[in-house]
Amino acid sequence: MNRKSKRFTLSNISQFVQKACDLANNNEFFVRLDNHKISYPHGAFPNMIAFGSISSISLAESSGAFNQLKEYIQKTQDWVFGYFSYDLKNDTEKLFSRNTDHKSFPELLFFCPQNILEFREDEVIIHSLGDPEKLFNEILNHSPLDEDSENETIEFKTETSREEYLEVINKLRRHIYEGDVYEINYCMEYIAHSENINSYNYWLKLCEQSPTPFAAFLKASQFSLICASPERFIKKNKSKIISQPIKGTIHTGKGKLERKENKERLFNSEKERAENMMIVDLVRNDLAKSSKPGSVKVEELFGIYEFRHLFHMISTVVSEAKDTVELVDIIKNAFPMGSMTGAPKIKVMELIEDYEKSKRGIFSGSIGYIDPSGNFDFNVIIRSLFYNSGTKLLSYNVGSAITYDSDPQQEYEECQLKAKAIREIFQK
């Protein structure tokens, strides 16, 4: 495709971004990625938006999805943006999904945009299949409408009570004791109904409450993803592959002394280190399938990173891709991410299907982009809201990694802590 690019200097970048997103949100397909100026090893998401659809691929079934995406990318030979749902696990292994699907999102969705805008400190680079200068002036002269703030009362409910949650955790600890698995990520879904919400406005509110390096908003027809993810799943930059699993979470606390103590407590926690190490080993194995022999390395182990409300323990695993491996296979070979399954991966995914009450769908999947050179970057879809305007259903999921040493009550409290930023955006 003959995509034209042009760079424009701006005196007020934030105002231009606001206008551009308001204009983009009028399209059927619109995605925004934002790093909130948070520094991150190997870089965070680029600040960019993409909108308007030249073509798209949307699959309701997981069977053969990765191969169909390969064909779509080969045909497109351009930028594509989109997501993989967790249940594409059924396309990587002999697994199935039989739980109730409340979200009803496609299993896989990607689109090739008409327009892509990259935002820098004081400039925007427009990559368009039309006239970049015409689009720049259209945005510059656009007047966003002032909308009333959301005033609908939204109450979330879950099918999993606290008592049921504690009971399940004890059952999972029994599986671990008997040697079935070493660690398992267990999640629950919270659901509400809403006649009409401005999903992009809620994404802005969520990012204000919880700015993260891998935040993403997606609107594709009736489906909206409102994501404030702190975690990278996988990135490819030329021949380098990077994966950065998060395992280990604690509240930042209040005051300088408490923050220091909590940071040290997380770093020195034997339980959190054990969880992190197990997932690092799993990631190393996943990357090895796509990498040159001997190139898989743990670049950082047990790194402690601070976010608005939380400290996270993050490790970085890197490798060099085989010369013959296809980019979609790099993703498929590591999918789904170990931080959202546990180890060993196939057995824990079977147990997740047995013990969780609803289908995960897009939750704990991954959203990001693939560029024309074959580079890509994808996050982990956590700390997220999902809205289906067709069914009027709004939901979010929370979970944590369970080991034998897990305290069920503490795990429940960790889940509520992770959901804090989401709940706060509905407070009036």
Side-chain angles (χ1 to χ4, degrees), residues 164-177:
E164 287 175 310
Y165 176 89
L166 300 179
E167 183 181 351
V168 168
I169 299 306
N170 283 322
K171 288 180 179 178
L172 295 176
R173 290 178 66 245
R174 185 69 186 179
H175 280 288
I176 295 168
Y177 177 78

Side-chain angles (χ1 to χ4, degrees), residues 7-8 10 12-14 17 35 37 46-48 79 117-125 127:
R7 188 183 305 261
F8 302 89
L10 293 163
N12 190 331
I13 186 74
S14 61
V17 171
N35 60 41
K37 299 181 179 179
N47 289 328
M48 63 195 312
W79 289 84
L117 280 65
E118 293 185 74
F119 300 106
R120 307 289 171 83
E121 285 296 323
D122 60 352
E123 65 180 17
V124 59
I125 305 170
H127 311 277

Side-chain angles (χ1 to χ4, degrees), residues 382-424:
I382 51 176
R383 320 292 160 81
S384 299
L385 279 158
F386 315 97
Y387 183 59
N388 184 332
S389 64
T391 61
K392 309 300 182 185
L393 191 137
L394 181 67
S395 73
Y396 68 87
N397 300 65
V398 288
S400 64
I402 308 305
T403 64
Y404 183 73
D405 293 328
S406 291
D407 178 279
Q409 182 60 41
Q410 288 181 5
E411 295 295 341
Y412 186 83
E413 291 171 0
E414 180 179 321
C415 289
Q416 306 316 306
L417 176 61
K418 289 174 177 176
K420 182 175 183 289
I422 290 177
R423 289 175 177 154
E424 284 179 347

Side-chain angles (χ1 to χ4, degrees), residues 182-183 245-248 269-285 298 300-303 313-315 317 338 342-343 401 403:
Y182 307 111
E183 174 183 343
I246 291 178
K247 268 290 159 272
S269 168
E270 290 186 13
K271 172 186 174 294
E272 304 289 13
R273 281 174 170 253
E275 286 183 16
N276 197 288
M277 179 61 79
M278 277 187 270
I279 300 307
V280 165
D281 285 343
L282 189 153
V283 170
R284 289 172 62 201
N285 181 66
V298 180
E300 182 181 29
L301 191 62
F302 309 147
M313 182 181 286
I314 305 173
S315 294
V317 185
T403 64

